[in-house]
Amino acid sequence: MLSLLQIFTSVQRQHSVHRRGLFIALHSSSHRSIGSNFMQMAQSPHHETKALLYRAPPEVRGMVSLDRDAFTQTIVIPSLRVPKGVLNKVVKSLKRTIVQRPGIPRVVQDKEDGIEEDDMRLVLLDPLRVSSLSSFNEAETEALRSFAVPQELQDYNLQLKYCNLKTEEVLEAVLPEGQEITSAFSRVGHIAHMNLRDHHMPYKNLIGQVIIDKNPGVSCVVNKTNMIDNTYRNFKMELLAGEENMVAKVKENGSSYEFDFSRVYWNPRLSTEHMRVVQEVKRGNTVLDVFAGVGPFAIPAARAGATVLANDLNPESHRWLQHNVKINKVAAAVRTFNLDGRAFVRGPVRQELPALLRAKAGVHIVMNLPALAVEFLDSFRGLLAGEPSCDAALPTVYCYGFSKDEDPERDMMLRASQSLGVSLDGRCSVHFVRNVAPNKDMMCVRFPLPKEVLFSSEGEQTGPEAEPAPKRQKCGETAD
């Protein structure tokens, strides 16, 4: 048998290919030689920039109903015959070069002429890292020598099945060449929430099934529709694959939440932001959560020892908020409301604030509705008109918004200032939360509620009926 080094040296000499040789996938119906496969790869512009271990059979291209068996093929990969007595040490020494594929063993039984050898095993190597003995680094070469491993690579016919492929490999094989591949999703309990583009739609059910197959614990895949146009600003969704069970159970920052994902809004990407704000809350403080959702700010704040007034306009969000308060055992610390945000500020917040300010208790007002929250800041104009003015313990506001401006920090400061009717320049901090779309950021502006706003007798007394009309927002423009 010619050594692999001789084969690759010959091919490189004939084709003047100045790069590492690779083992190329063989179709199960066509077992070609390693040399011919290498030459095919070397002549292919596609593989000059992207080396593949798996090359899908052409018949899977354009598949819309998942046929798992159609992905099966056999490839040739290198291996080493290793004495059984030193197997564990060799595997540890070669961890960089051993093949790593879902469901593929690193070590298999050695068969010589169809007869299993009890004292030898085959260690399977990654053909994208090992093309010859010279592919091993100095430490690996020394380990092989010290463990008396035969210095010869062996061919091994490896059958790759659908279960051994990564999500991206399956989707790249199915979708038309050149199209963007998407395998990203947000995990909400057992639900995978995707945001597919138009060119994915013919393959949406297949994509959903692949996501379930490749992600243990996911049993439902949904895709959000393009627009939000309802009063409660939760997006519509369609089921792509799996069970139609939208009641999710999740844990975040030590708290438990249950909710109907199809009827409320929940964003797992805001976990860090929830924690950041709650860490500013001290035991004995009061949190006024104007757009509470199902409780990701309210409940951990209550668990931290705060008293919480939590409000949400969506009856479903309010119902699950109450449920989550109970399962987290913070009912004694949380009062819930099902009101418009402005009515909540003008009602329960107005009633509680005077006593809180007199007691010099720390007050935190959270306004997490990025599409509209800034527009609600005018609710605080003259809120405590007629009450004795004070300088100490003014409430701290955390107001969220989206910005497409080149300077989103200044944009948020200016918009918040306009809504309040006073300048916040030099009186606030603006925190970047996350990027929600190209050139679109979610920001949080934090400031002490200005005394001249809160106690103004000339403030704009805007009634609940003047709530900004729901806008046709894209789905990314909401937050829990």
Side-chain angles (χ1 to χ4, degrees), residues 235-265:
F235 55 79
K236 297 179 181 179
M237 63 182 66
E238 61 176 334
L239 180 70
L240 300 183
E243 59 178 333
E244 193 168 4
N245 173 16
M246 298 299 175
V247 177
K249 298 180 180 182
V250 301
K251 277 191 171 290
E252 181 184 274
N253 300 328
S255 299
S256 299
Y257 303 90
E258 298 178 3
F259 47 84
D260 185 335
F261 187 55
S262 67
R263 305 187 72 179
V264 306
Y265 188 85

PDB file of all heavy atoms in Angstrom, residues 235-265:
ATOM      1  N   PHE A 235     -46.018  39.630  19.160  1.00  0.00           N
ATOM      2  CA  PHE A 235     -46.003  39.272  17.747  1.00  0.00           C
ATOM      3  C   PHE A 235     -46.795  37.991  17.475  1.00  0.00           C
ATOM      4  O   PHE A 235     -46.941  37.136  18.337  1.00  0.00           O
ATOM      5  CB  PHE A 235     -44.563  39.109  17.244  1.00  0.00           C
ATOM      6  CG  PHE A 235     -43.741  38.131  18.022  1.00  0.00           C
ATOM      7  CD1 PHE A 235     -43.868  36.767  17.819  1.00  0.00           C
ATOM      8  CD2 PHE A 235     -42.813  38.578  18.961  1.00  0.00           C
ATOM      9  CE1 PHE A 235     -43.109  35.863  18.535  1.00  0.00           C
ATOM     10  CE2 PHE A 235     -42.050  37.676  19.676  1.00  0.00           C
ATOM     11  CZ  PHE A 235     -42.200  36.313  19.464  1.00  0.00           C
ATOM     12  N   LYS A 236     -47.301  37.891  16.260  1.00  0.00           N
ATOM     13  CA  LYS A 236     -47.970  36.673  15.833  1.00  0.00           C
ATOM     14  C   LYS A 236     -46.921  35.662  15.393  1.00  0.00           C
ATOM     15  O   LYS A 236     -45.822  36.032  14.988  1.00  0.00           O
ATOM     16  CB  LYS A 236     -48.938  36.978  14.691  1.00  0.00           C
ATOM     17  CG  LYS A 236     -50.077  37.914  15.081  1.00  0.00           C
ATOM     18  CD  LYS A 236     -50.987  38.203  13.900  1.00  0.00           C
ATOM     19  CE  LYS A 236     -52.111  39.154  14.300  1.00  0.00           C
ATOM     20  NZ  LYS A 236     -53.007  39.461  13.149  1.00  0.00           N
ATOM     21  N   MET A 237     -47.256  34.398  15.465  1.00  0.00           N
ATOM     22  CA  MET A 237     -46.290  33.375  15.095  1.00  0.00           C
ATOM     23  C   MET A 237     -46.994  32.202  14.424  1.00  0.00           C
ATOM     24  O   MET A 237     -48.203  32.016  14.561  1.00  0.00           O
ATOM     25  CB  MET A 237     -45.523  32.902  16.321  1.00  0.00           C
ATOM     26  CG  MET A 237     -46.372  32.233  17.382  1.00  0.00           C
ATOM     27  SD  MET A 237     -45.405  31.740  18.828  1.00  0.00           S
ATOM     28  CE  MET A 237     -44.927  33.342  19.464  1.00  0.00           C
ATOM     29  N   GLU A 238     -46.209  31.424  13.694  1.00  0.00           N
ATOM     30  CA  GLU A 238     -46.729  30.211  13.065  1.00  0.00           C
ATOM     31  C   GLU A 238     -45.889  29.028  13.510  1.00  0.00           C
ATOM     32  O   GLU A 238     -44.679  29.144  13.733  1.00  0.00           O
ATOM     33  CB  GLU A 238     -46.704  30.337  11.542  1.00  0.00           C
ATOM     34  CG  GLU A 238     -45.319  30.549  10.956  1.00  0.00           C
ATOM     35  CD  GLU A 238     -45.330  30.581   9.440  1.00  0.00           C
ATOM     36  OE1 GLU A 238     -46.231  29.977   8.847  1.00  0.00           O
ATOM     37  OE2 GLU A 238     -44.431  31.215   8.855  1.00  0.00           O
ATOM     38  N   LEU A 239     -46.540  27.885  13.625  1.00  0.00           N
ATOM     39  CA  LEU A 239     -45.859  26.658  14.012  1.00  0.00           C
ATOM     40  C   LEU A 239     -45.155  26.066  12.800  1.00  0.00           C
ATOM     41  O   LEU A 239     -45.757  25.861  11.757  1.00  0.00           O
ATOM     42  CB  LEU A 239     -46.869  25.649  14.574  1.00  0.00           C
ATOM     43  CG  LEU A 239     -46.310  24.312  15.035  1.00  0.00           C
ATOM     44  CD1 LEU A 239     -45.482  24.487  16.300  1.00  0.00           C
ATOM     45  CD2 LEU A 239     -47.451  23.315  15.279  1.00  0.00           C
ATOM     46  N   LEU A 240     -43.853  25.815  12.932  1.00  0.00           N
ATOM     47  CA  LEU A 240     -43.083  25.211  11.841  1.00  0.00           C
ATOM     48  C   LEU A 240     -42.973  23.705  11.991  1.00  0.00           C
ATOM     49  O   LEU A 240     -43.015  22.964  11.018  1.00  0.00           O
ATOM     50  CB  LEU A 240     -41.672  25.811  11.792  1.00  0.00           C
ATOM     51  CG  LEU A 240     -41.561  27.320  11.578  1.00  0.00           C
ATOM     52  CD1 LEU A 240     -40.098  27.720  11.471  1.00  0.00           C
ATOM     53  CD2 LEU A 240     -42.323  27.755  10.334  1.00  0.00           C
ATOM     54  N   ALA A 241     -42.795  23.239  13.215  1.00  0.00           N
ATOM     55  CA  ALA A 241     -42.624  21.799  13.443  1.00  0.00           C
ATOM     56  C   ALA A 241     -42.864  21.503  14.919  1.00  0.00           C
ATOM     57  O   ALA A 241     -42.702  22.371  15.775  1.00  0.00           O
ATOM     58  CB  ALA A 241     -41.221  21.351  13.033  1.00  0.00           C
ATOM     59  N   GLY A 242     -43.246  20.261  15.196  1.00  0.00           N
ATOM     60  CA  GLY A 242     -43.385  19.810  16.578  1.00  0.00           C
ATOM     61  C   GLY A 242     -44.772  20.013  17.143  1.00  0.00           C
ATOM     62  O   GLY A 242     -45.738  20.275  16.427  1.00  0.00           O
ATOM     63  N   GLU A 243     -44.860  19.912  18.469  1.00  0.00           N
ATOM     64  CA  GLU A 243     -46.138  20.011  19.162  1.00  0.00           C
ATOM     65  C   GLU A 243     -46.585  21.464  19.272  1.00  0.00           C
ATOM     66  O   GLU A 243     -45.769  22.367  19.433  1.00  0.00           O
ATOM     67  CB  GLU A 243     -46.008  19.411  20.563  1.00  0.00           C
ATOM     68  CG  GLU A 243     -44.950  20.088  21.426  1.00  0.00           C
ATOM     69  CD  GLU A 243     -44.879  19.512  22.821  1.00  0.00           C
ATOM     70  OE1 GLU A 243     -45.902  18.994  23.295  1.00  0.00           O
ATOM     71  OE2 GLU A 243     -43.811  19.595  23.439  1.00  0.00           O
ATOM     72  N   GLU A 244     -47.876  21.684  19.193  1.00  0.00           N
ATOM     73  CA  GLU A 244     -48.414  23.037  19.306  1.00  0.00           C
ATOM     74  C   GLU A 244     -48.720  23.327  20.769  1.00  0.00           C
ATOM     75  O   GLU A 244     -49.866  23.486  21.180  1.00  0.00           O
ATOM     76  CB  GLU A 244     -49.657  23.209  18.439  1.00  0.00           C
ATOM     77  CG  GLU A 244     -50.062  24.663  18.268  1.00  0.00           C
ATOM     78  CD  GLU A 244     -51.109  24.853  17.188  1.00  0.00           C
ATOM     79  OE1 GLU A 244     -51.571  23.843  16.633  1.00  0.00           O
ATOM     80  OE2 GLU A 244     -51.455  26.008  16.898  1.00  0.00           O
ATOM     81  N   ASN A 245     -47.672  23.391  21.564  1.00  0.00           N
ATOM     82  CA  ASN A 245     -47.790  23.698  22.987  1.00  0.00           C
ATOM     83  C   ASN A 245     -46.989  24.965  23.245  1.00  0.00           C
ATOM     84  O   ASN A 245     -45.756  24.951  23.254  1.00  0.00           O
ATOM     85  CB  ASN A 245     -47.246  22.549  23.832  1.00  0.00           C
ATOM     86  CG  ASN A 245     -47.199  22.892  25.314  1.00  0.00           C
ATOM     87  OD1 ASN A 245     -47.824  23.844  25.759  1.00  0.00           O
ATOM     88  ND2 ASN A 245     -46.446  22.111  26.075  1.00  0.00           N
ATOM     89  N   MET A 246     -47.665  26.073  23.448  1.00  0.00           N
ATOM     90  CA  MET A 246     -47.009  27.373  23.569  1.00  0.00           C
ATOM     91  C   MET A 246     -46.781  27.799  25.014  1.00  0.00           C
ATOM     92  O   MET A 246     -46.280  28.891  25.262  1.00  0.00           O
ATOM     93  CB  MET A 246     -47.837  28.442  22.856  1.00  0.00           C
ATOM     94  CG  MET A 246     -47.989  28.197  21.368  1.00  0.00           C
ATOM     95  SD  MET A 246     -46.387  28.183  20.511  1.00  0.00           S
ATOM     96  CE  MET A 246     -46.903  27.717  18.857  1.00  0.00           C
ATOM     97  N   VAL A 247     -47.162  26.982  25.974  1.00  0.00           N
ATOM     98  CA  VAL A 247     -46.938  27.334  27.374  1.00  0.00           C
ATOM     99  C   VAL A 247     -45.525  26.918  27.760  1.00  0.00           C
ATOM    100  O   VAL A 247     -45.212  25.728  27.862  1.00  0.00           O
ATOM    101  CB  VAL A 247     -47.972  26.682  28.305  1.00  0.00           C
ATOM    102  CG1 VAL A 247     -47.666  27.022  29.759  1.00  0.00           C
ATOM    103  CG2 VAL A 247     -49.380  27.155  27.935  1.00  0.00           C
ATOM    104  N   ALA A 248     -44.673  27.918  27.941  1.00  0.00           N
ATOM    105  CA  ALA A 248     -43.258  27.666  28.210  1.00  0.00           C
ATOM    106  C   ALA A 248     -42.964  27.793  29.699  1.00  0.00           C
ATOM    107  O   ALA A 248     -43.612  28.557  30.421  1.00  0.00           O
ATOM    108  CB  ALA A 248     -42.392  28.642  27.430  1.00  0.00           C
ATOM    109  N   LYS A 249     -41.977  27.044  30.124  1.00  0.00           N
ATOM    110  CA  LYS A 249     -41.460  27.140  31.491  1.00  0.00           C
ATOM    111  C   LYS A 249     -39.969  27.426  31.397  1.00  0.00           C
ATOM    112  O   LYS A 249     -39.225  26.660  30.791  1.00  0.00           O
ATOM    113  CB  LYS A 249     -41.696  25.845  32.259  1.00  0.00           C
ATOM    114  CG  LYS A 249     -43.167  25.487  32.427  1.00  0.00           C
ATOM    115  CD  LYS A 249     -43.334  24.191  33.209  1.00  0.00           C
ATOM    116  CE  LYS A 249     -44.806  23.837  33.383  1.00  0.00           C
ATOM    117  NZ  LYS A 249     -44.997  22.595  34.181  1.00  0.00           N
ATOM    118  N   VAL A 250     -39.555  28.554  31.968  1.00  0.00           N
ATOM    119  CA  VAL A 250     -38.150  28.938  31.869  1.00  0.00           C
ATOM    120  C   VAL A 250     -37.643  29.387  33.231  1.00  0.00           C
ATOM    121  O   VAL A 250     -38.421  29.750  34.124  1.00  0.00           O
ATOM    122  CB  VAL A 250     -37.940  30.085  30.852  1.00  0.00           C
ATOM    123  CG1 VAL A 250     -38.430  29.685  29.472  1.00  0.00           C
ATOM    124  CG2 VAL A 250     -38.638  31.360  31.304  1.00  0.00           C
ATOM    125  N   LYS A 251     -36.328  29.348  33.357  1.00  0.00           N
ATOM    126  CA  LYS A 251     -35.664  29.904  34.538  1.00  0.00           C
ATOM    127  C   LYS A 251     -34.734  31.009  34.082  1.00  0.00           C
ATOM    128  O   LYS A 251     -34.054  30.871  33.071  1.00  0.00           O
ATOM    129  CB  LYS A 251     -34.878  28.821  35.283  1.00  0.00           C
ATOM    130  CG  LYS A 251     -35.715  27.985  36.220  1.00  0.00           C
ATOM    131  CD  LYS A 251     -34.842  27.119  37.115  1.00  0.00           C
ATOM    132  CE  LYS A 251     -35.681  26.445  38.187  1.00  0.00           C
ATOM    133  NZ  LYS A 251     -36.173  27.393  39.197  1.00  0.00           N
ATOM    134  N   GLU A 252     -34.717  32.103  34.826  1.00  0.00           N
ATOM    135  CA  GLU A 252     -33.824  33.208  34.503  1.00  0.00           C
ATOM    136  C   GLU A 252     -33.342  33.836  35.796  1.00  0.00           C
ATOM    137  O   GLU A 252     -34.140  34.242  36.648  1.00  0.00           O
ATOM    138  CB  GLU A 252     -34.541  34.261  33.642  1.00  0.00           C
ATOM    139  CG  GLU A 252     -33.631  35.419  33.252  1.00  0.00           C
ATOM    140  CD  GLU A 252     -34.350  36.506  32.496  1.00  0.00           C
ATOM    141  OE1 GLU A 252     -34.469  36.390  31.262  1.00  0.00           O
ATOM    142  OE2 GLU A 252     -34.820  37.478  33.152  1.00  0.00           O
ATOM    143  N   ASN A 253     -32.044  33.901  35.946  1.00  0.00           N
ATOM    144  CA  ASN A 253     -31.431  34.530  37.119  1.00  0.00           C
ATOM    145  C   ASN A 253     -32.013  33.996  38.434  1.00  0.00           C
ATOM    146  O   ASN A 253     -32.221  34.738  39.396  1.00  0.00           O
ATOM    147  CB  ASN A 253     -31.601  36.052  37.057  1.00  0.00           C
ATOM    148  CG  ASN A 253     -30.953  36.657  35.823  1.00  0.00           C
ATOM    149  OD1 ASN A 253     -29.949  36.156  35.331  1.00  0.00           O
ATOM    150  ND2 ASN A 253     -31.535  37.727  35.299  1.00  0.00           N
ATOM    151  N   GLY A 254     -32.291  32.689  38.450  1.00  0.00           N
ATOM    152  CA  GLY A 254     -32.766  32.056  39.670  1.00  0.00           C
ATOM    153  C   GLY A 254     -34.261  32.100  39.888  1.00  0.00           C
ATOM    154  O   GLY A 254     -34.761  31.508  40.852  1.00  0.00           O
ATOM    155  N   SER A 255     -35.003  32.798  39.031  1.00  0.00           N
ATOM    156  CA  SER A 255     -36.458  32.868  39.155  1.00  0.00           C
ATOM    157  C   SER A 255     -37.112  31.994  38.091  1.00  0.00           C
ATOM    158  O   SER A 255     -36.542  31.757  37.027  1.00  0.00           O
ATOM    159  CB  SER A 255     -36.944  34.311  39.000  1.00  0.00           C
ATOM    160  OG  SER A 255     -36.397  35.142  39.996  1.00  0.00           O
ATOM    161  N   SER A 256     -38.326  31.519  38.391  1.00  0.00           N
ATOM    162  CA  SER A 256     -39.069  30.659  37.471  1.00  0.00           C
ATOM    163  C   SER A 256     -40.212  31.445  36.839  1.00  0.00           C
ATOM    164  O   SER A 256     -40.864  32.262  37.510  1.00  0.00           O
ATOM    165  CB  SER A 256     -39.634  29.440  38.214  1.00  0.00           C
ATOM    166  OG  SER A 256     -38.589  28.671  38.777  1.00  0.00           O
ATOM    167  N   TYR A 257     -40.442  31.172  35.552  1.00  0.00           N
ATOM    168  CA  TYR A 257     -41.512  31.858  34.828  1.00  0.00           C
ATOM    169  C   TYR A 257     -42.272  30.856  33.967  1.00  0.00           C
ATOM    170  O   TYR A 257     -41.671  29.972  33.353  1.00  0.00           O
ATOM    171  CB  TYR A 257     -40.949  32.966  33.932  1.00  0.00           C
ATOM    172  CG  TYR A 257     -40.146  33.996  34.675  1.00  0.00           C
ATOM    173  CD1 TYR A 257     -38.772  33.842  34.846  1.00  0.00           C
ATOM    174  CD2 TYR A 257     -40.760  35.114  35.235  1.00  0.00           C
ATOM    175  CE1 TYR A 257     -38.028  34.770  35.549  1.00  0.00           C
ATOM    176  CE2 TYR A 257     -40.023  36.057  35.936  1.00  0.00           C
ATOM    177  CZ  TYR A 257     -38.654  35.878  36.086  1.00  0.00           C
ATOM    178  OH  TYR A 257     -37.923  36.800  36.798  1.00  0.00           O
ATOM    179  N   GLU A 258     -43.583  31.035  33.926  1.00  0.00           N
ATOM    180  CA  GLU A 258     -44.434  30.258  33.035  1.00  0.00           C
ATOM    181  C   GLU A 258     -45.343  31.245  32.301  1.00  0.00           C
ATOM    182  O   GLU A 258     -45.822  32.219  32.890  1.00  0.00           O
ATOM    183  CB  GLU A 258     -45.262  29.238  33.830  1.00  0.00           C
ATOM    184  CG  GLU A 258     -44.408  28.205  34.566  1.00  0.00           C
ATOM    185  CD  GLU A 258     -45.240  27.229  35.389  1.00  0.00           C
ATOM    186  OE1 GLU A 258     -46.490  27.329  35.345  1.00  0.00           O
ATOM    187  OE2 GLU A 258     -44.647  26.385  36.076  1.00  0.00           O
ATOM    188  N   PHE A 259     -45.571  30.976  31.018  1.00  0.00           N
ATOM    189  CA  PHE A 259     -46.397  31.888  30.222  1.00  0.00           C
ATOM    190  C   PHE A 259     -46.720  31.249  28.887  1.00  0.00           C
ATOM    191  O   PHE A 259     -46.034  30.333  28.435  1.00  0.00           O
ATOM    192  CB  PHE A 259     -45.674  33.223  29.996  1.00  0.00           C
ATOM    193  CG  PHE A 259     -44.242  33.080  29.554  1.00  0.00           C
ATOM    194  CD1 PHE A 259     -43.931  32.884  28.216  1.00  0.00           C
ATOM    195  CD2 PHE A 259     -43.212  33.112  30.477  1.00  0.00           C
ATOM    196  CE1 PHE A 259     -42.618  32.726  27.801  1.00  0.00           C
ATOM    197  CE2 PHE A 259     -41.891  32.964  30.080  1.00  0.00           C
ATOM    198  CZ  PHE A 259     -41.599  32.772  28.742  1.00  0.00           C
ATOM    199  N   ASP A 260     -47.769  31.761  28.261  1.00  0.00           N
ATOM    200  CA  ASP A 260     -48.133  31.363  26.896  1.00  0.00           C
ATOM    201  C   ASP A 260     -47.343  32.240  25.938  1.00  0.00           C
ATOM    202  O   ASP A 260     -47.652  33.423  25.766  1.00  0.00           O
ATOM    203  CB  ASP A 260     -49.637  31.537  26.687  1.00  0.00           C
ATOM    204  CG  ASP A 260     -50.106  31.027  25.333  1.00  0.00           C
ATOM    205  OD1 ASP A 260     -49.285  30.987  24.384  1.00  0.00           O
ATOM    206  OD2 ASP A 260     -51.296  30.686  25.192  1.00  0.00           O
ATOM    207  N   PHE A 261     -46.319  31.674  25.319  1.00  0.00           N
ATOM    208  CA  PHE A 261     -45.407  32.438  24.486  1.00  0.00           C
ATOM    209  C   PHE A 261     -46.103  33.061  23.283  1.00  0.00           C
ATOM    210  O   PHE A 261     -45.629  34.052  22.732  1.00  0.00           O
ATOM    211  CB  PHE A 261     -44.264  31.538  24.023  1.00  0.00           C
ATOM    212  CG  PHE A 261     -43.172  32.243  23.286  1.00  0.00           C
ATOM    213  CD1 PHE A 261     -42.513  33.318  23.847  1.00  0.00           C
ATOM    214  CD2 PHE A 261     -42.793  31.834  22.009  1.00  0.00           C
ATOM    215  CE1 PHE A 261     -41.497  33.979  23.170  1.00  0.00           C
ATOM    216  CE2 PHE A 261     -41.778  32.483  21.321  1.00  0.00           C
ATOM    217  CZ  PHE A 261     -41.133  33.563  21.905  1.00  0.00           C
ATOM    218  N   SER A 262     -47.241  32.518  22.883  1.00  0.00           N
ATOM    219  CA  SER A 262     -47.961  33.049  21.727  1.00  0.00           C
ATOM    220  C   SER A 262     -48.808  34.270  22.079  1.00  0.00           C
ATOM    221  O   SER A 262     -49.317  34.951  21.198  1.00  0.00           O
ATOM    222  CB  SER A 262     -48.858  31.972  21.111  1.00  0.00           C
ATOM    223  OG  SER A 262     -49.912  31.631  22.005  1.00  0.00           O
ATOM    224  N   ARG A 263     -48.934  34.576  23.383  1.00  0.00           N
ATOM    225  CA  ARG A 263     -49.840  35.656  23.785  1.00  0.00           C
ATOM    226  C   ARG A 263     -49.176  36.733  24.635  1.00  0.00           C
ATOM    227  O   ARG A 263     -49.816  37.725  24.991  1.00  0.00           O
ATOM    228  CB  ARG A 263     -51.043  35.060  24.532  1.00  0.00           C
ATOM    229  CG  ARG A 263     -51.764  33.979  23.733  1.00  0.00           C
ATOM    230  CD  ARG A 263     -53.037  33.517  24.378  1.00  0.00           C
ATOM    231  NE  ARG A 263     -54.083  34.529  24.288  1.00  0.00           N
ATOM    232  CZ  ARG A 263     -55.314  34.365  24.760  1.00  0.00           C
ATOM    233  NH1 ARG A 263     -55.644  33.221  25.354  1.00  0.00           N
ATOM    234  NH2 ARG A 263     -56.200  35.328  24.655  1.00  0.00           N
ATOM    235  N   VAL A 264     -47.920  36.511  24.992  1.00  0.00           N
ATOM    236  CA  VAL A 264     -47.174  37.531  25.736  1.00  0.00           C
ATOM    237  C   VAL A 264     -45.822  37.696  25.060  1.00  0.00           C
ATOM    238  O   VAL A 264     -45.479  36.970  24.131  1.00  0.00           O
ATOM    239  CB  VAL A 264     -46.986  37.137  27.219  1.00  0.00           C
ATOM    240  CG1 VAL A 264     -48.326  36.827  27.867  1.00  0.00           C
ATOM    241  CG2 VAL A 264     -46.043  35.937  27.359  1.00  0.00           C
ATOM    242  N   TYR A 265     -45.044  38.651  25.560  1.00  0.00           N
ATOM    243  CA  TYR A 265     -43.711  38.842  24.993  1.00  0.00           C
ATOM    244  C   TYR A 265     -42.665  38.426  26.013  1.00  0.00           C
ATOM    245  O   TYR A 265     -42.723  38.790  27.182  1.00  0.00           O
ATOM    246  CB  TYR A 265     -43.477  40.295  24.580  1.00  0.00           C
ATOM    247  CG  TYR A 265     -42.189  40.448  23.813  1.00  0.00           C
ATOM    248  CD1 TYR A 265     -42.155  40.222  22.444  1.00  0.00           C
ATOM    249  CD2 TYR A 265     -41.009  40.781  24.454  1.00  0.00           C
ATOM    250  CE1 TYR A 265     -40.973  40.329  21.722  1.00  0.00           C
ATOM    251  CE2 TYR A 265     -39.819  40.891  23.750  1.00  0.00           C
ATOM    252  CZ  TYR A 265     -39.814  40.661  22.382  1.00  0.00           C
ATOM    253  OH  TYR A 265     -38.640  40.767  21.683  1.00  0.00           O
TER     254      TYR A 265
END
